[in-house]
Amino acid sequence: AKESGRNRIVFYNEPMNEDIAKRMYIEKNLWLALVNNEFELYYQPQLDLETDCITGFEALIRWNNSELGMISPDRFISIAEDTHLIIPIGMWVLKTACSFLYKLHQLGYQELNIAVNISMLQLLQEDFVTMVMDTITDAGINAKHLELEITESILMESYETIAGKLKLLRARGINIALDDFGKGYSSLNYLKLLPITTLKIDKGFIDTITDSDKNKSFADLIVNLGKSLNLSVIAEGVETSEQKDYLVKHKCNKMQGYLFSKPLPEYEVVQKMSEKWNK
Ligand code: C2E
Ligand code: CA
Ligand code: CA
Ligand code: CA
């Protein structure tokens, strides 16, 4: 604290204190949030760039809290991981997402897929593969309509165990996407050794796609890499039509981003599907 003007005390570190207070609140209330049903899943459409049709949705969690309002996953997922609460939360996400997909199939949109983000801690659970298979059976959906999104950071630890589980899941028909591709220390070895079906180009490469030749060539490189390995390539964080045009021209398979739609709650997805998206 520092004295300013007359006897007023100004706390220069006030925002930081607020951050710590929020973090403590989140740590204390995360379990209650699950018990009290305060989590919500939003769904962001994924678009086929060749046909311009929706192929599915990525499920993204939010915490709708009475005191703090809508809390973004960036604020609580890492805390959920530290406290291992990500296991029951992740299970809730998977169940909810699969039930929603079943509902969409019942409404007549039978080709739609759902993508769900998975944390390393979940994958390391002994019964993870059984849990996933039971969940899709209970929900009434086919494995081919589910995609699990993992990040490269997941792969750095316990590689053997994780590779084994991914192979089992893939053998049962589940799709595996490598999220934020190109952002971290991408190892081409992962692509060779793991049963990956989809590459998600990190938003960072999409943001700068229309900037310079050098940035362009990175996006091209990833698209071509995916193609040559027979993978589906999806660009995330597409915000402008220039970016989309570029991706179409360079034969990227799919896109996801604010240009087409933000993540939306269930009822809005259903509404938009029947009103304007269903072509
Ligand atoms: P992610 O998996 O990389 O998800 C993409 C993020 O980018 C989402 O943020 C999405 O809302 C945002 N996004 C999509 N299109 C655009 C765009 O055009 N522009 C911009 N600026 N942003 C866009 P969100 O929903 O806040 O999620 C943040 C991260 O939290 C996710 O990053 C993911 O790592 C994690 N997360 C979200 N839901 C879950 C979950 O159910 N389980 C786990 N383990 N992690 C989750
Ligand atoms: Ca993701
Ligand atoms: Ca991502
Ligand atoms: Ca991310």
PDB file of all heavy atoms in Angstrom, residues 94-129:
ATOM      1  N   LEU A  94     -19.238 -35.837 -19.951  1.00  0.00           N
ATOM      2  CA  LEU A  94     -19.404 -36.887 -20.955  1.00  0.00           C
ATOM      3  C   LEU A  94     -20.852 -37.373 -21.016  1.00  0.00           C
ATOM      4  O   LEU A  94     -21.429 -37.506 -22.097  1.00  0.00           O
ATOM      5  CB  LEU A  94     -18.456 -38.053 -20.647  1.00  0.00           C
ATOM      6  CG  LEU A  94     -18.357 -39.108 -21.739  1.00  0.00           C
ATOM      7  CD1 LEU A  94     -17.662 -38.561 -22.980  1.00  0.00           C
ATOM      8  CD2 LEU A  94     -17.611 -40.348 -21.240  1.00  0.00           C
ATOM      9  N   LYS A  95     -21.428 -37.622 -19.853  1.00  0.00           N
ATOM     10  CA  LYS A  95     -22.826 -38.100 -19.796  1.00  0.00           C
ATOM     11  C   LYS A  95     -23.771 -37.088 -20.411  1.00  0.00           C
ATOM     12  O   LYS A  95     -24.643 -37.423 -21.210  1.00  0.00           O
ATOM     13  CB  LYS A  95     -23.246 -38.345 -18.338  1.00  0.00           C
ATOM     14  CG  LYS A  95     -22.694 -39.631 -17.790  1.00  0.00           C
ATOM     15  CD  LYS A  95     -23.485 -40.088 -16.561  1.00  0.00           C
ATOM     16  CE  LYS A  95     -23.060 -41.477 -16.160  1.00  0.00           C
ATOM     17  NZ  LYS A  95     -22.356 -41.546 -14.887  1.00  0.00           N
ATOM     18  N   THR A  96     -23.604 -35.820 -19.990  1.00  0.00           N
ATOM     19  CA  THR A  96     -24.498 -34.763 -20.460  1.00  0.00           C
ATOM     20  C   THR A  96     -24.378 -34.577 -21.971  1.00  0.00           C
ATOM     21  O   THR A  96     -25.379 -34.458 -22.676  1.00  0.00           O
ATOM     22  CB  THR A  96     -24.179 -33.440 -19.726  1.00  0.00           C
ATOM     23  OG1 THR A  96     -24.196 -33.702 -18.318  1.00  0.00           O
ATOM     24  CG2 THR A  96     -25.191 -32.363 -20.047  1.00  0.00           C
ATOM     25  N   ALA A  97     -23.147 -34.583 -22.465  1.00  0.00           N
ATOM     26  CA  ALA A  97     -22.911 -34.383 -23.889  1.00  0.00           C
ATOM     27  C   ALA A  97     -23.512 -35.539 -24.705  1.00  0.00           C
ATOM     28  O   ALA A  97     -24.142 -35.315 -25.743  1.00  0.00           O
ATOM     29  CB  ALA A  97     -21.419 -34.258 -24.171  1.00  0.00           C
ATOM     30  N   CYS A  98     -23.326 -36.762 -24.229  1.00  0.00           N
ATOM     31  CA  CYS A  98     -23.850 -37.927 -24.960  1.00  0.00           C
ATOM     32  C   CYS A  98     -25.375 -37.936 -24.949  1.00  0.00           C
ATOM     33  O   CYS A  98     -26.002 -38.275 -25.949  1.00  0.00           O
ATOM     34  CB  CYS A  98     -23.294 -39.232 -24.381  1.00  0.00           C
ATOM     35  SG  CYS A  98     -21.537 -39.453 -24.719  1.00  0.00           S
ATOM     36  N   SER A  99     -25.982 -37.549 -23.831  1.00  0.00           N
ATOM     37  CA  SER A  99     -27.450 -37.484 -23.765  1.00  0.00           C
ATOM     38  C   SER A  99     -27.977 -36.433 -24.730  1.00  0.00           C
ATOM     39  O   SER A  99     -29.004 -36.632 -25.379  1.00  0.00           O
ATOM     40  CB  SER A  99     -27.934 -37.108 -22.367  1.00  0.00           C
ATOM     41  OG  SER A  99     -27.428 -38.002 -21.433  1.00  0.00           O
ATOM     42  N   PHE A 100     -27.272 -35.308 -24.803  1.00  0.00           N
ATOM     43  CA  PHE A 100     -27.706 -34.258 -25.728  1.00  0.00           C
ATOM     44  C   PHE A 100     -27.597 -34.744 -27.170  1.00  0.00           C
ATOM     45  O   PHE A 100     -28.487 -34.492 -27.988  1.00  0.00           O
ATOM     46  CB  PHE A 100     -26.897 -32.971 -25.516  1.00  0.00           C
ATOM     47  CG  PHE A 100     -27.307 -31.858 -26.439  1.00  0.00           C
ATOM     48  CD1 PHE A 100     -28.643 -31.489 -26.554  1.00  0.00           C
ATOM     49  CD2 PHE A 100     -26.362 -31.181 -27.194  1.00  0.00           C
ATOM     50  CE1 PHE A 100     -29.044 -30.474 -27.413  1.00  0.00           C
ATOM     51  CE2 PHE A 100     -26.744 -30.155 -28.054  1.00  0.00           C
ATOM     52  CZ  PHE A 100     -28.083 -29.801 -28.164  1.00  0.00           C
ATOM     53  N   LEU A 101     -26.515 -35.444 -27.477  1.00  0.00           N
ATOM     54  CA  LEU A 101     -26.369 -35.948 -28.844  1.00  0.00           C
ATOM     55  C   LEU A 101     -27.510 -36.916 -29.179  1.00  0.00           C
ATOM     56  O   LEU A 101     -28.068 -36.879 -30.284  1.00  0.00           O
ATOM     57  CB  LEU A 101     -25.017 -36.646 -29.041  1.00  0.00           C
ATOM     58  CG  LEU A 101     -24.751 -37.019 -30.501  1.00  0.00           C
ATOM     59  CD1 LEU A 101     -24.579 -35.772 -31.373  1.00  0.00           C
ATOM     60  CD2 LEU A 101     -23.547 -37.927 -30.650  1.00  0.00           C
ATOM     61  N   TYR A 102     -27.858 -37.759 -28.218  1.00  0.00           N
ATOM     62  CA  TYR A 102     -28.972 -38.684 -28.427  1.00  0.00           C
ATOM     63  C   TYR A 102     -30.249 -37.907 -28.755  1.00  0.00           C
ATOM     64  O   TYR A 102     -30.984 -38.250 -29.669  1.00  0.00           O
ATOM     65  CB  TYR A 102     -29.182 -39.560 -27.188  1.00  0.00           C
ATOM     66  CG  TYR A 102     -30.368 -40.486 -27.318  1.00  0.00           C
ATOM     67  CD1 TYR A 102     -30.283 -41.637 -28.096  1.00  0.00           C
ATOM     68  CD2 TYR A 102     -31.582 -40.194 -26.686  1.00  0.00           C
ATOM     69  CE1 TYR A 102     -31.376 -42.490 -28.242  1.00  0.00           C
ATOM     70  CE2 TYR A 102     -32.679 -41.032 -26.820  1.00  0.00           C
ATOM     71  CZ  TYR A 102     -32.575 -42.181 -27.599  1.00  0.00           C
ATOM     72  OH  TYR A 102     -33.657 -43.001 -27.742  1.00  0.00           O
ATOM     73  N   LYS A 103     -30.470 -36.835 -28.005  1.00  0.00           N
ATOM     74  CA  LYS A 103     -31.646 -35.993 -28.230  1.00  0.00           C
ATOM     75  C   LYS A 103     -31.639 -35.437 -29.663  1.00  0.00           C
ATOM     76  O   LYS A 103     -32.657 -35.471 -30.360  1.00  0.00           O
ATOM     77  CB  LYS A 103     -31.639 -34.847 -27.213  1.00  0.00           C
ATOM     78  CG  LYS A 103     -32.984 -34.178 -27.029  1.00  0.00           C
ATOM     79  CD  LYS A 103     -32.910 -33.001 -26.061  1.00  0.00           C
ATOM     80  CE  LYS A 103     -32.825 -33.377 -24.603  1.00  0.00           C
ATOM     81  NZ  LYS A 103     -32.752 -32.194 -23.703  1.00  0.00           N
ATOM     82  N   LEU A 104     -30.470 -34.963 -30.109  1.00  0.00           N
ATOM     83  CA  LEU A 104     -30.368 -34.427 -31.473  1.00  0.00           C
ATOM     84  C   LEU A 104     -30.639 -35.520 -32.507  1.00  0.00           C
ATOM     85  O   LEU A 104     -31.309 -35.284 -33.512  1.00  0.00           O
ATOM     86  CB  LEU A 104     -28.984 -33.810 -31.704  1.00  0.00           C
ATOM     87  CG  LEU A 104     -28.691 -32.492 -30.983  1.00  0.00           C
ATOM     88  CD1 LEU A 104     -27.231 -32.101 -31.152  1.00  0.00           C
ATOM     89  CD2 LEU A 104     -29.594 -31.368 -31.507  1.00  0.00           C
ATOM     90  N   HIS A 105     -30.130 -36.717 -32.248  1.00  0.00           N
ATOM     91  CA  HIS A 105     -30.381 -37.829 -33.171  1.00  0.00           C
ATOM     92  C   HIS A 105     -31.877 -38.129 -33.232  1.00  0.00           C
ATOM     93  O   HIS A 105     -32.421 -38.363 -34.313  1.00  0.00           O
ATOM     94  CB  HIS A 105     -29.595 -39.075 -32.736  1.00  0.00           C
ATOM     95  CG  HIS A 105     -28.128 -38.974 -33.026  1.00  0.00           C
ATOM     96  ND1 HIS A 105     -27.238 -39.989 -32.756  1.00  0.00           N
ATOM     97  CD2 HIS A 105     -27.380 -37.973 -33.564  1.00  0.00           C
ATOM     98  CE1 HIS A 105     -26.018 -39.628 -33.115  1.00  0.00           C
ATOM     99  NE2 HIS A 105     -26.076 -38.396 -33.597  1.00  0.00           N
ATOM    100  N   GLN A 106     -32.526 -38.085 -32.068  1.00  0.00           N
ATOM    101  CA  GLN A 106     -33.970 -38.339 -32.001  1.00  0.00           C
ATOM    102  C   GLN A 106     -34.754 -37.284 -32.778  1.00  0.00           C
ATOM    103  O   GLN A 106     -35.802 -37.565 -33.330  1.00  0.00           O
ATOM    104  CB  GLN A 106     -34.466 -38.341 -30.543  1.00  0.00           C
ATOM    105  CG  GLN A 106     -34.029 -39.527 -29.729  1.00  0.00           C
ATOM    106  CD  GLN A 106     -34.462 -40.860 -30.325  1.00  0.00           C
ATOM    107  OE1 GLN A 106     -33.685 -41.553 -30.964  1.00  0.00           O
ATOM    108  NE2 GLN A 106     -35.724 -41.208 -30.146  1.00  0.00           N
ATOM    109  N   LEU A 107     -34.208 -36.064 -32.794  1.00  0.00           N
ATOM    110  CA  LEU A 107     -34.876 -34.980 -33.517  1.00  0.00           C
ATOM    111  C   LEU A 107     -34.693 -35.116 -35.029  1.00  0.00           C
ATOM    112  O   LEU A 107     -35.242 -34.334 -35.799  1.00  0.00           O
ATOM    113  CB  LEU A 107     -34.346 -33.620 -33.043  1.00  0.00           C
ATOM    114  CG  LEU A 107     -34.787 -33.185 -31.639  1.00  0.00           C
ATOM    115  CD1 LEU A 107     -34.020 -31.949 -31.180  1.00  0.00           C
ATOM    116  CD2 LEU A 107     -36.293 -32.910 -31.609  1.00  0.00           C
ATOM    117  N   GLY A 108     -33.885 -36.096 -35.421  1.00  0.00           N
ATOM    118  CA  GLY A 108     -33.723 -36.349 -36.851  1.00  0.00           C
ATOM    119  C   GLY A 108     -32.348 -35.987 -37.410  1.00  0.00           C
ATOM    120  O   GLY A 108     -32.079 -36.201 -38.583  1.00  0.00           O
ATOM    121  N   TYR A 109     -31.498 -35.439 -36.570  1.00  0.00           N
ATOM    122  CA  TYR A 109     -30.155 -35.069 -37.045  1.00  0.00           C
ATOM    123  C   TYR A 109     -29.197 -36.212 -36.724  1.00  0.00           C
ATOM    124  O   TYR A 109     -28.328 -36.097 -35.851  1.00  0.00           O
ATOM    125  CB  TYR A 109     -29.702 -33.769 -36.391  1.00  0.00           C
ATOM    126  CG  TYR A 109     -30.751 -32.684 -36.396  1.00  0.00           C
ATOM    127  CD1 TYR A 109     -31.315 -32.228 -35.212  1.00  0.00           C
ATOM    128  CD2 TYR A 109     -31.189 -32.122 -37.597  1.00  0.00           C
ATOM    129  CE1 TYR A 109     -32.290 -31.241 -35.209  1.00  0.00           C
ATOM    130  CE2 TYR A 109     -32.162 -31.137 -37.604  1.00  0.00           C
ATOM    131  CZ  TYR A 109     -32.713 -30.701 -36.411  1.00  0.00           C
ATOM    132  OH  TYR A 109     -33.675 -29.726 -36.408  1.00  0.00           O
ATOM    133  N   GLN A 110     -29.353 -37.300 -37.422  1.00  0.00           N
ATOM    134  CA  GLN A 110     -28.692 -38.540 -37.021  1.00  0.00           C
ATOM    135  C   GLN A 110     -27.216 -38.625 -37.362  1.00  0.00           C
ATOM    136  O   GLN A 110     -26.528 -39.534 -36.902  1.00  0.00           O
ATOM    137  CB  GLN A 110     -29.429 -39.737 -37.637  1.00  0.00           C
ATOM    138  CG  GLN A 110     -30.717 -40.015 -36.914  1.00  0.00           C
ATOM    139  CD  GLN A 110     -31.830 -40.457 -37.853  1.00  0.00           C
ATOM    140  OE1 GLN A 110     -31.598 -40.647 -39.039  1.00  0.00           O
ATOM    141  NE2 GLN A 110     -33.019 -40.608 -37.321  1.00  0.00           N
ATOM    142  N   GLU A 111     -26.743 -37.680 -38.189  1.00  0.00           N
ATOM    143  CA  GLU A 111     -25.340 -37.761 -38.581  1.00  0.00           C
ATOM    144  C   GLU A 111     -24.437 -36.923 -37.673  1.00  0.00           C
ATOM    145  O   GLU A 111     -23.221 -36.948 -37.806  1.00  0.00           O
ATOM    146  CB  GLU A 111     -25.164 -37.321 -40.040  1.00  0.00           C
ATOM    147  CG  GLU A 111     -25.846 -38.237 -41.045  1.00  0.00           C
ATOM    148  CD  GLU A 111     -25.524 -39.716 -40.801  1.00  0.00           C
ATOM    149  OE1 GLU A 111     -24.324 -40.036 -40.658  1.00  0.00           O
ATOM    150  OE2 GLU A 111     -26.462 -40.532 -40.722  1.00  0.00           O
ATOM    151  N   LEU A 112     -25.018 -36.167 -36.766  1.00  0.00           N
ATOM    152  CA  LEU A 112     -24.214 -35.259 -35.939  1.00  0.00           C
ATOM    153  C   LEU A 112     -23.299 -35.995 -34.965  1.00  0.00           C
ATOM    154  O   LEU A 112     -23.625 -37.077 -34.475  1.00  0.00           O
ATOM    155  CB  LEU A 112     -25.123 -34.309 -35.164  1.00  0.00           C
ATOM    156  CG  LEU A 112     -25.906 -33.283 -35.979  1.00  0.00           C
ATOM    157  CD1 LEU A 112     -26.778 -32.441 -35.061  1.00  0.00           C
ATOM    158  CD2 LEU A 112     -24.963 -32.390 -36.787  1.00  0.00           C
ATOM    159  N   ASN A 113     -22.143 -35.365 -34.713  1.00  0.00           N
ATOM    160  CA  ASN A 113     -21.155 -35.918 -33.776  1.00  0.00           C
ATOM    161  C   ASN A 113     -20.989 -34.990 -32.582  1.00  0.00           C
ATOM    162  O   ASN A 113     -21.361 -33.816 -32.645  1.00  0.00           O
ATOM    163  CB  ASN A 113     -19.796 -36.043 -34.479  1.00  0.00           C
ATOM    164  CG  ASN A 113     -19.889 -36.849 -35.749  1.00  0.00           C
ATOM    165  OD1 ASN A 113     -20.497 -37.909 -35.766  1.00  0.00           O
ATOM    166  ND2 ASN A 113     -19.321 -36.324 -36.827  1.00  0.00           N
ATOM    167  N   ILE A 114     -20.383 -35.515 -31.531  1.00  0.00           N
ATOM    168  CA  ILE A 114     -20.092 -34.676 -30.373  1.00  0.00           C
ATOM    169  C   ILE A 114     -18.620 -34.838 -29.998  1.00  0.00           C
ATOM    170  O   ILE A 114     -18.087 -35.949 -30.019  1.00  0.00           O
ATOM    171  CB  ILE A 114     -21.022 -35.011 -29.184  1.00  0.00           C
ATOM    172  CG1 ILE A 114     -21.022 -33.905 -28.141  1.00  0.00           C
ATOM    173  CG2 ILE A 114     -20.685 -36.342 -28.525  1.00  0.00           C
ATOM    174  CD1 ILE A 114     -21.968 -32.811 -28.393  1.00  0.00           C
ATOM    175  N   ALA A 115     -17.958 -33.711 -29.696  1.00  0.00           N
ATOM    176  CA  ALA A 115     -16.562 -33.753 -29.255  1.00  0.00           C
ATOM    177  C   ALA A 115     -16.503 -33.311 -27.798  1.00  0.00           C
ATOM    178  O   ALA A 115     -17.131 -32.320 -27.415  1.00  0.00           O
ATOM    179  CB  ALA A 115     -15.705 -32.837 -30.124  1.00  0.00           C
ATOM    180  N   VAL A 116     -15.768 -34.054 -26.986  1.00  0.00           N
ATOM    181  CA  VAL A 116     -15.691 -33.789 -25.548  1.00  0.00           C
ATOM    182  C   VAL A 116     -14.223 -33.670 -25.128  1.00  0.00           C
ATOM    183  O   VAL A 116     -13.396 -34.506 -25.510  1.00  0.00           O
ATOM    184  CB  VAL A 116     -16.384 -34.936 -24.760  1.00  0.00           C
ATOM    185  CG1 VAL A 116     -16.212 -34.755 -23.263  1.00  0.00           C
ATOM    186  CG2 VAL A 116     -17.865 -35.023 -25.116  1.00  0.00           C
ATOM    187  N   ASN A 117     -13.905 -32.626 -24.367  1.00  0.00           N
ATOM    188  CA  ASN A 117     -12.528 -32.436 -23.873  1.00  0.00           C
ATOM    189  C   ASN A 117     -12.246 -33.373 -22.705  1.00  0.00           C
ATOM    190  O   ASN A 117     -13.050 -33.491 -21.793  1.00  0.00           O
ATOM    191  CB  ASN A 117     -12.330 -30.991 -23.422  1.00  0.00           C
ATOM    192  CG  ASN A 117     -12.388 -30.023 -24.582  1.00  0.00           C
ATOM    193  OD1 ASN A 117     -11.450 -29.927 -25.368  1.00  0.00           O
ATOM    194  ND2 ASN A 117     -13.507 -29.329 -24.716  1.00  0.00           N
ATOM    195  N   ILE A 118     -11.080 -33.998 -22.746  1.00  0.00           N
ATOM    196  CA  ILE A 118     -10.718 -34.971 -21.718  1.00  0.00           C
ATOM    197  C   ILE A 118      -9.388 -34.573 -21.073  1.00  0.00           C
ATOM    198  O   ILE A 118      -8.428 -34.248 -21.769  1.00  0.00           O
ATOM    199  CB  ILE A 118     -10.579 -36.383 -22.347  1.00  0.00           C
ATOM    200  CG1 ILE A 118     -11.910 -36.849 -22.953  1.00  0.00           C
ATOM    201  CG2 ILE A 118     -10.055 -37.400 -21.333  1.00  0.00           C
ATOM    202  CD1 ILE A 118     -13.029 -37.091 -21.964  1.00  0.00           C
ATOM    203  N   SER A 119      -9.330 -34.591 -19.746  1.00  0.00           N
ATOM    204  CA  SER A 119      -8.096 -34.293 -19.027  1.00  0.00           C
ATOM    205  C   SER A 119      -7.274 -35.559 -18.825  1.00  0.00           C
ATOM    206  O   SER A 119      -7.820 -36.657 -18.757  1.00  0.00           O
ATOM    207  CB  SER A 119      -8.405 -33.707 -17.655  1.00  0.00           C
ATOM    208  OG  SER A 119      -8.921 -32.419 -17.783  1.00  0.00           O
ATOM    209  N   MET A 120      -5.983 -35.355 -18.657  1.00  0.00           N
ATOM    210  CA  MET A 120      -5.097 -36.499 -18.473  1.00  0.00           C
ATOM    211  C   MET A 120      -5.504 -37.366 -17.283  1.00  0.00           C
ATOM    212  O   MET A 120      -5.468 -38.583 -17.360  1.00  0.00           O
ATOM    213  CB  MET A 120      -3.667 -36.041 -18.269  1.00  0.00           C
ATOM    214  CG  MET A 120      -2.773 -37.219 -17.980  1.00  0.00           C
ATOM    215  SD  MET A 120      -1.085 -36.795 -17.722  1.00  0.00           S
ATOM    216  CE  MET A 120      -1.141 -36.115 -16.103  1.00  0.00           C
ATOM    217  N   LEU A 121      -5.894 -36.709 -16.219  1.00  0.00           N
ATOM    218  CA  LEU A 121      -6.262 -37.442 -15.009  1.00  0.00           C
ATOM    219  C   LEU A 121      -7.408 -38.418 -15.264  1.00  0.00           C
ATOM    220  O   LEU A 121      -7.464 -39.497 -14.680  1.00  0.00           O
ATOM    221  CB  LEU A 121      -6.672 -36.442 -13.929  1.00  0.00           C
ATOM    222  CG  LEU A 121      -6.161 -36.716 -12.529  1.00  0.00           C
ATOM    223  CD1 LEU A 121      -4.669 -36.787 -12.500  1.00  0.00           C
ATOM    224  CD2 LEU A 121      -6.667 -35.641 -11.585  1.00  0.00           C
ATOM    225  N   GLN A 122      -8.317 -38.019 -16.151  1.00  0.00           N
ATOM    226  CA  GLN A 122      -9.429 -38.917 -16.496  1.00  0.00           C
ATOM    227  C   GLN A 122      -8.912 -40.139 -17.235  1.00  0.00           C
ATOM    228  O   GLN A 122      -9.281 -41.262 -16.936  1.00  0.00           O
ATOM    229  CB  GLN A 122     -10.435 -38.188 -17.399  1.00  0.00           C
ATOM    230  CG  GLN A 122     -11.207 -37.088 -16.731  1.00  0.00           C
ATOM    231  CD  GLN A 122     -12.096 -36.399 -17.742  1.00  0.00           C
ATOM    232  OE1 GLN A 122     -11.701 -35.415 -18.360  1.00  0.00           O
ATOM    233  NE2 GLN A 122     -13.306 -36.905 -17.922  1.00  0.00           N
ATOM    234  N   LEU A 123      -8.027 -39.859 -18.212  1.00  0.00           N
ATOM    235  CA  LEU A 123      -7.466 -40.952 -19.016  1.00  0.00           C
ATOM    236  C   LEU A 123      -6.669 -41.928 -18.174  1.00  0.00           C
ATOM    237  O   LEU A 123      -6.542 -43.100 -18.508  1.00  0.00           O
ATOM    238  CB  LEU A 123      -6.555 -40.370 -20.095  1.00  0.00           C
ATOM    239  CG  LEU A 123      -7.150 -40.221 -21.479  1.00  0.00           C
ATOM    240  CD1 LEU A 123      -6.198 -39.472 -22.373  1.00  0.00           C
ATOM    241  CD2 LEU A 123      -7.463 -41.581 -22.083  1.00  0.00           C
ATOM    242  N   LEU A 124      -6.113 -41.440 -17.079  1.00  0.00           N
ATOM    243  CA  LEU A 124      -5.299 -42.305 -16.234  1.00  0.00           C
ATOM    244  C   LEU A 124      -6.131 -43.175 -15.298  1.00  0.00           C
ATOM    245  O   LEU A 124      -5.612 -44.083 -14.664  1.00  0.00           O
ATOM    246  CB  LEU A 124      -4.312 -41.462 -15.422  1.00  0.00           C
ATOM    247  CG  LEU A 124      -3.142 -40.907 -16.222  1.00  0.00           C
ATOM    248  CD1 LEU A 124      -2.278 -40.000 -15.361  1.00  0.00           C
ATOM    249  CD2 LEU A 124      -2.301 -42.026 -16.822  1.00  0.00           C
ATOM    250  N   GLN A 125      -7.431 -42.903 -15.212  1.00  0.00           N
ATOM    251  CA  GLN A 125      -8.297 -43.752 -14.389  1.00  0.00           C
ATOM    252  C   GLN A 125      -8.331 -45.154 -14.969  1.00  0.00           C
ATOM    253  O   GLN A 125      -8.493 -45.327 -16.169  1.00  0.00           O
ATOM    254  CB  GLN A 125      -9.731 -43.185 -14.363  1.00  0.00           C
ATOM    255  CG  GLN A 125      -9.855 -41.852 -13.685  1.00  0.00           C
ATOM    256  CD  GLN A 125      -9.488 -41.920 -12.222  1.00  0.00           C
ATOM    257  OE1 GLN A 125     -10.143 -42.584 -11.442  1.00  0.00           O
ATOM    258  NE2 GLN A 125      -8.410 -41.256 -11.863  1.00  0.00           N
ATOM    259  N   GLU A 126      -8.215 -46.115 -14.099  1.00  0.00           N
ATOM    260  CA  GLU A 126      -8.161 -47.496 -14.554  1.00  0.00           C
ATOM    261  C   GLU A 126      -9.385 -47.891 -15.387  1.00  0.00           C
ATOM    262  O   GLU A 126      -9.268 -48.603 -16.373  1.00  0.00           O
ATOM    263  CB  GLU A 126      -8.042 -48.416 -13.341  1.00  0.00           C
ATOM    264  CG  GLU A 126      -7.477 -49.747 -13.726  1.00  0.00           C
ATOM    265  CD  GLU A 126      -6.726 -50.400 -12.576  1.00  0.00           C
ATOM    266  OE1 GLU A 126      -6.319 -49.685 -11.636  1.00  0.00           O
ATOM    267  OE2 GLU A 126      -6.570 -51.610 -12.634  1.00  0.00           O
ATOM    268  N   ASP A 127     -10.550 -47.394 -14.947  1.00  0.00           N
ATOM    269  CA  ASP A 127     -11.785 -47.825 -15.620  1.00  0.00           C
ATOM    270  C   ASP A 127     -12.262 -46.834 -16.685  1.00  0.00           C
ATOM    271  O   ASP A 127     -13.426 -46.858 -17.065  1.00  0.00           O
ATOM    272  CB  ASP A 127     -12.891 -48.029 -14.575  1.00  0.00           C
ATOM    273  CG  ASP A 127     -13.198 -46.731 -13.818  1.00  0.00           C
ATOM    274  OD1 ASP A 127     -12.430 -45.756 -13.974  1.00  0.00           O
ATOM    275  OD2 ASP A 127     -14.202 -46.699 -13.092  1.00  0.00           O
ATOM    276  N   PHE A 128     -11.354 -45.967 -17.165  1.00  0.00           N
ATOM    277  CA  PHE A 128     -11.791 -44.924 -18.100  1.00  0.00           C
ATOM    278  C   PHE A 128     -12.453 -45.484 -19.360  1.00  0.00           C
ATOM    279  O   PHE A 128     -13.527 -45.028 -19.772  1.00  0.00           O
ATOM    280  CB  PHE A 128     -10.620 -43.999 -18.480  1.00  0.00           C
ATOM    281  CG  PHE A 128     -11.038 -42.868 -19.377  1.00  0.00           C
ATOM    282  CD1 PHE A 128     -11.771 -41.794 -18.875  1.00  0.00           C
ATOM    283  CD2 PHE A 128     -10.725 -42.874 -20.728  1.00  0.00           C
ATOM    284  CE1 PHE A 128     -12.182 -40.756 -19.702  1.00  0.00           C
ATOM    285  CE2 PHE A 128     -11.134 -41.841 -21.561  1.00  0.00           C
ATOM    286  CZ  PHE A 128     -11.859 -40.789 -21.050  1.00  0.00           C
ATOM    287  N   VAL A 129     -11.836 -46.489 -19.966  1.00  0.00           N
ATOM    288  CA  VAL A 129     -12.375 -47.040 -21.218  1.00  0.00           C
ATOM    289  C   VAL A 129     -13.767 -47.638 -20.982  1.00  0.00           C
ATOM    290  O   VAL A 129     -14.709 -47.364 -21.741  1.00  0.00           O
ATOM    291  CB  VAL A 129     -11.412 -48.093 -21.826  1.00  0.00           C
ATOM    292  CG1 VAL A 129     -12.014 -48.731 -23.066  1.00  0.00           C
ATOM    293  CG2 VAL A 129     -10.074 -47.429 -22.166  1.00  0.00           C
TER     294      VAL A 129
END
